[in-house]
Amino acid sequence: MSEVEEIMKRILSHKGVEGVIIANTEGIILRSTLEDQSTVHHVALVQPLLMKAKKIVQDMDPEDELTYVRLRTEKNEEIIAADKDYFMISIQTPSL
Amino acid sequence: MREHFLLRTLKMFADEALDPVTVASVWRKAQQGAQHSRGCQTPAVLSDHAGVQTRFTASSSTQTEPQEQNLQEGGLGGPDPPGLVDFLKRVEDPVTKELEKNSRSHAFDGYQANWEEGSDHVSLLHSLQHPGAEESGLHVSAVSWSCTGSVIVCAYGRTDDGDWTHQKSCVCLWNLDRRRLRPKQADLVLEVPAAVTSVCCHPERPALIAGGLYNGEVVVWDTSRTQDPVLAQTGMSADSHREPVYQVVWVPLQKKGDFGVLSSSSGGEVLLWLVDPDQGRLVLNAAYAFVRQQLPHSSSLKSRGSSRVGVSALALSPWDADTFLVGSEGGLLLRCSFSCGPPAAVAPEGRSVAPRAPARFCFRPAGGPVHSLHCSPFHRYRLPPPQTAAVLTRYDPTRLRRNLFISAGTDGEVRLGSLLQADPLLAVRVSDSYVFQAQWSPSRPLVFAAATGQGEVQIFDLARKSLRPAATIRDGAADRTATCLAFNGADPRLLAAGRSDGTVGVWLLSSDLTEQRAEESLRLEQIANQVAE
């Protein structure tokens, strides 16, 4: 099993995690545990938000860097970790 | 685009065989001079794509080549792009930390985002009047909403004088869901031979209305009958009240779906009637009489005057079918039971059913006549934790529903009490004059409204720190008392208030008074637990 799969499995094993999506900054999906159509939909919606968030951080303080974007809804929370080339979305249901 | 156009024009110039027809022009050749073409230039056509919208699409057929199946589990195939592994290695630890923190976090407990636009104000929707009642100078003595929430029933009578007038009055119904609602004209007017003191709509059948009259009669109307809406009445029999009926309430009976009418009067009785539609009569099922000597001794009363205790207010407990609350003209507040009780120490008076004395517990008396009682419709009893459940199988008085109730009377205060203790938990100063009616909101456990003698309806919110009213509804002159009010059970944003000038106002409450917030039930419990046992 490649390293990528190992890491993804480890993340999935955490409590409440429902899915993991890895894509590159242009929006091309690399790995995903959800089914294709919803993954495409998800990435297409999240990617502009991520770009905007990056821009906000850069504009506010050029020396600062975006680490995560967390989107919390009534049903679950998504942690989006990004860097220059790739980003990863982890979807977790909080344990309330 | 341009190539396409050129191709089409070229096609137009394809060879075709046609019979040539030529008609030579004679004069033109002569007139035509020499013509030279120098050059032509057209500026570039600027084109920009503004937008395209398809109104409808139709797909006739498509064909795709079969795709290669993904062999890798959960992945999208293909080799890992460079740097992906490094990225993941870098990101994995922080993300894991966040995920674990998240699973343990309580940061958002009880937080509920509300994206709906709420209204900020309380606004008057309709002002309903019945010209006939206004001419006779009748006040609105009671309002009640039907169980569906679309019809409002207004009863007219007098709330101030106490003589046996033979004044005819009426009960008017307006259907607020009708498009052409005519505020000056009721949809249905029921003529009544005496002043009506109280009405109550049936909790399940929207056509039935029970009413109590000033001459002691109790009537049930059926508005679905066209001929004669009176379905049943007590008539002036030996069973009926001799004094004016103060309040009527529909009571659920043993058999599910059956309801009886409970009526209270200033003569000191509370009677339970069953509806007999065939004979058109209300049949007495049970009678309860209040005699001063038989009241529980936990109250200090001066036994002066007649021994009868006139009942002025009645309330049912929504959680305990056996309990009901009674308020008297002398300010007494009693908790009573339907089923158990010794026979009442009164002369039989020719009643068909022997009366019982139902009072079980006496709360601290109010300073004046109690006009209104209402039990909180929100469940307040919490089950004990499982490990002590075995111990509580024997009868334990604390298992009685610790229901909260409010009482309002002429002392200008609304008191919040618990069914288990004699002293009130909280007394809220509502106005300087009488309070005619107080009712809990059906949607927010901490909100109640009170109709005052100064013409205002005050709405209080116990979630607020201060005890000043959350909203005040003032409609017109201050010398018109607000005599009655009713929350709409089906649509909790509507509140109807009747006044002594004969008008009924239907008000739309703001969203902060109607939408339940998180932990309100908890706060209600805290208030009820204030005086620990």
Side-chain angles (χ1 to χ4, degrees), chain B residues 284-358:
Chain B
L284 186 64
N285 184 268
Y288 305 95
F290 293 87
V291 180
R292 214 174 273 272
Q293 295 91 301
Q294 280 182 309
L295 294 176
H297 292 294
S298 53
S299 60
S300 54
L301 302 166
K302 301 174 275 287
S303 49
R304 217 189 303 164
S306 84
S307 63
R308 285 297 188 104
V309 176
V311 177
S312 54
L314 200 57
L316 296 175
S317 164
W319 307 112
D320 188 355
D322 192 42
T323 303
F324 65 104
L325 295 178
V326 152
S328 82
E329 287 170 337
L332 292 172
L333 287 168
L334 304 165
R335 186 184 85 215
C336 312
S337 151
F338 279 119
S339 49
C340 45
V346 286
E349 287 176 8
R351 286 233 158 79
S352 51
V353 177
R356 282 202 291 250

Side-chain angles (χ1 to χ4, degrees), chain B residues 332-449:
Chain B
L332 292 172
L333 287 168
L334 304 165
R335 186 184 85 215
C336 312
S337 151
F338 279 119
S339 49
C340 45
V346 286
E349 287 176 8
R351 286 233 158 79
S352 51
V353 177
R356 282 202 291 250
R360 297 267 75 77
F361 183 72
C362 197
F363 300 97
R364 184 144 67 94
V370 178
H371 279 148
S372 170
L373 285 174
H374 194 223
C375 285
S376 171
F378 288 92
H379 189 56
R380 272 226 50 270
Y381 176 66
R382 234 197 325 203
L383 286 171
Q387 59 265 26
T388 61
V391 179
L392 291 173
T393 45
R394 279 165 289 139
Y395 176 71
D396 186 348
T398 56
R399 286 196 77 177
L400 279 175
R401 309 298 189 189
R402 279 187 208 232
N403 206 358
L404 291 180
F405 68 93
I406 42 175
S407 68
T410 54
D411 52 5
E413 283 185 348
V414 168
R415 292 149 145 219
L416 195 74
S418 154
L419 278 185
L420 282 188
Q421 63 184 55
D423 291 326
L425 293 169
L426 198 62
V428 179
R429 180 124 204 109
V430 171
S431 91
D432 295 326
S433 77
Y434 301 170
V435 181
F436 282 98
Q437 189 158 3
Q439 197 180 19
W440 289 100
S441 158
S443 58
R444 276 198 63 194
L446 293 172
V447 169
F448 63 87

